[in-house]
Amino acid sequence: MALVAISIYPMLFGLFSVAPHFVEVMLGHKWVAMVEPLEVLCLFAAIAACNGLTASLNVAIGLYRSYTLLVLMNGTFLVIGCLVFIPFGLVGIAWALCAYALLLNLSGFMLTTRHLPVTWRDYALAIRSEEHTSELQSQFLISYAVFCLKKK
């Protein structure tokens, strides 16, 4: 997860920062209305990148059915959110996607914490992109958590 964080978060932050110039240069002046949805989609991608960790944790501890039902329920909320935010156009749909990704992250993490002694701090440590964090360290934390659960 840290490897994903090292690569995707700076890229998304950069795209968010230069979105007006990027749209103007790459797509032209007619696409200037796309700047705000692009910025919101950068936020969505940053949130959605974390979903892999909660999905992996839940599948690793045998909660794949529960997690699948959770994804289906959140998908229903996504459809409802899109219908509610359709009057706001593409920006509204992008915000509905952000809400979906955040809801999926939160509900997936809550499902994990019911079965593992994992805290928000552990989750953040697995995602952070500092130089001393590696993909192996985050995989070790996940493996250790699964080992502790099976030991019980």
Side-chain angles (χ1 to χ4, degrees):
M1 186 65 202
L3 186 61
V4 171
I6 287 171
S7 60
I8 199 165
Y9 289 141
M11 185 173 55
L12 289 172
F13 178 74
L15 184 58
F16 180 86
S17 300
V18 300
H21 305 292
F22 178 80
V23 169
E24 181 80 31
V25 170
M26 297 302 286
L27 302 173
H29 184 69
K30 292 181 180 180
W31 288 85
V32 172
M34 185 60 193
V35 171
E36 191 177 356
L38 180 62
E39 291 172 342
V40 176
L41 288 174
C42 286
L43 177 63
F44 160 72
I47 296 169
C50 301
N51 284 339
L53 181 60
T54 52
S56 297
L57 279 171
N58 285 312
V59 169
I61 61 176
L63 299 174
Y64 53 89
R65 287 185 183 175
S66 300
Y67 188 75
T68 302
L69 289 174
L70 192 68
V71 170
L72 290 173
M73 286 183 351
N74 284 330
T76 304
F77 289 128
L78 173 62
V79 171
I80 293 169
C82 287
L83 292 174
V84 168
F85 286 110
I86 250 178
F88 299 102
L90 193 55
V91 176
I93 301 297
W95 279 114
L97 278 170
C98 280
Y100 163 75
L102 189 59
L103 184 64
L104 185 60
N105 260 338
L106 293 174
S107 56
F109 185 75
M110 288 179 4
L111 180 65
T112 303
T113 57
R114 286 185 182 172
H115 301 279
L116 284 179
V118 180
T119 63
W120 281 108
R121 184 177 184 280
D122 298 329
Y123 189 69
L125 288 174
I127 294 172
R128 70 181 178 173
S129 60
E130 297 177 12
E131 292 178 358
H132 63 277
T133 303
S134 70
E135 184 70 14
L136 293 175
Q137 287 173 329
S138 62
Q139 291 300 321
F140 173 75
L141 290 173
I142 294 169
S143 299
Y144 179 72
V146 172
F147 171 76
C148 289
L149 183 66
K150 288 183 178 180
K151 192 176 177 181
K152 290 181 180 181

